[in-house]
Amino acid sequence: MQRIGVIGVGEIGRALVTGLCEGPGERPEVFLSPRGARAAAELAQRHAGVHVCASNQEVADRADLVVVAVRPPDRHDALAGLRVDDDTIVVNVMAGVAAEELRKLLDTRAALVRAIPLPAVRDRGSVTVTWPSHPVTDALFERLGGVLAAEDEAAFNVFSALTATLTTHLSYLATLSTWAAGHGVPPEVAEGYVRGLFQGLGRALGDDSRSLARLAADHETPNGSNERVRTTWFTPARSQALADTLDDLLDRLT
């Protein structure tokens, strides 16, 4: 397994290292930047073969594959002057930072792959979208739950926009439990029920023989309660508002 460097040890950086170091198979040697010092120190203490470097340049010098996971607004300060050898593989997980922009910033001819790893890679339970396909990065993300190679960077940006809906979904569930608590159900009971309700529904998503529209129809009785809530609250206007929000985000990502 190649030597892996991570520049920017935030939520995604921690998840990647945890998934690689706690999963099956050979453990990689991992080099972490001093950015996110506390998280980097915890990972190094927990896993053999994980080292905290003195600088981002040391990470780039010691690794064969470098994951750039800094916050997009911090990229210029974090990467200024960084030298990356042309035979290094660079994995860019910064949302909205195009491949060519990062290539110019690093001034390198190294292979550069964009990726959208989610926190669930920590448990090797999430498919990661990449572009372009590369055998080394494909093998890396297969270990972490699977890989989906986008056809081009435009398609990659569409997938990136979709990932921005996760906290909206969680906030929707939080609103349901808050509503129930407002009607006298103890908050912990309401939240527990909502969690179980949608965890059960989530298992239905594993049935890929049925489209999402078909799944919705199969969970709905004509003129029943589910149909009432859907048609009253999730109106065509609200559906269009969601599509407009995603279109606006896609414009920003491109």
Side-chain angles (χ1 to χ4, degrees), residues 191-213:
E191 182 162 314
Y193 180 73
V194 170
R195 285 174 180 266
L197 187 67
F198 284 88
Q199 284 170 351
L201 179 63
R203 286 189 283 272
L205 295 174
D207 179 9
D208 57 11
S209 68
R210 292 183 288 173
S211 68
L212 293 175

Side-chain angles (χ1 to χ4, degrees), residues 4 7 23 39 56 63-64 77 86-87 100 117 156 186 195 212 236 244:
I4 297 174
I7 296 177
N56 291 341
D64 303 312
D77 289 339
D86 292 343
D87 59 355
E100 283 309 307
F156 179 92
R195 285 174 180 266
L212 293 175
D244 291 343

Side-chain angles (χ1 to χ4, degrees), residues 117-139:
L118 300 175
V121 296
R122 176 184 291 107
D123 304 309
R124 298 161 303 283
S126 176
V127 171
T128 298
V129 178
T130 65
W131 179 84
S133 178
H134 188 286
V136 174
T137 55
D138 286 354

Side-chain angles (χ1 to χ4, degrees), residues 10-151:
E11 179 66 19
I12 296 302
R14 290 197 302 270
L16 288 168
V17 174
T18 301
L20 289 169
C21 292
E22 295 183 358
E26 183 182 355
R27 302 293 193 269
E29 192 170 12
V30 179
F31 303 95
L32 304 179
S33 74
R35 298 183 72 89
R38 178 179 296 179
E42 289 175 355
L43 289 167
Q45 185 176 24
R46 188 182 314 145
H47 303 293
V50 175
H51 317 279
V52 181
C53 296
S55 66
N56 291 341
Q57 187 60 58
E58 184 183 352
V59 175
D61 290 342
R62 300 183 70 178
D64 303 312
L65 181 150
V66 175
V67 178
V68 180
V70 300
R71 294 176 62 252
D74 299 337
R75 63 189 183 276
H76 295 288
D77 289 339
L79 304 177
L82 185 67
R83 301 180 306 278
V84 177
D85 291 342
D86 292 343
D87 59 355
T88 302
I89 300 167
V90 178
V91 179
N92 171 19
V93 303
M94 298 182 291
V97 179
E100 283 309 307
E101 178 185 348
L102 183 58
R103 187 177 300 283
K104 290 178 181 178
L105 183 59
L106 297 177
D107 190 24
T108 183
R109 293 192 297 272
L112 198 154
V113 177
R114 296 187 69 186
I116 315 173
L118 300 175
V121 296
R122 176 184 291 107
D123 304 309
R124 298 161 303 283
S126 176
V127 171
T128 298
V129 178
T130 65
W131 179 84
S133 178
H134 188 286
V136 174
T137 55
D138 286 354
L140 173 71
F141 289 115
E142 282 291 354
R143 286 189 60 178
L144 294 170
V147 62
L148 171 60
E151 292 185 1

Side-chain angles (χ1 to χ4, degrees), residues 162-179:
L162 289 176
T163 66
T165 63
L166 292 176
T167 58
T168 300
H169 177 67
L170 293 173
S171 295
Y172 167 78
L173 301 185
T175 300
L176 296 181
S177 62
T178 299
W179 174 85

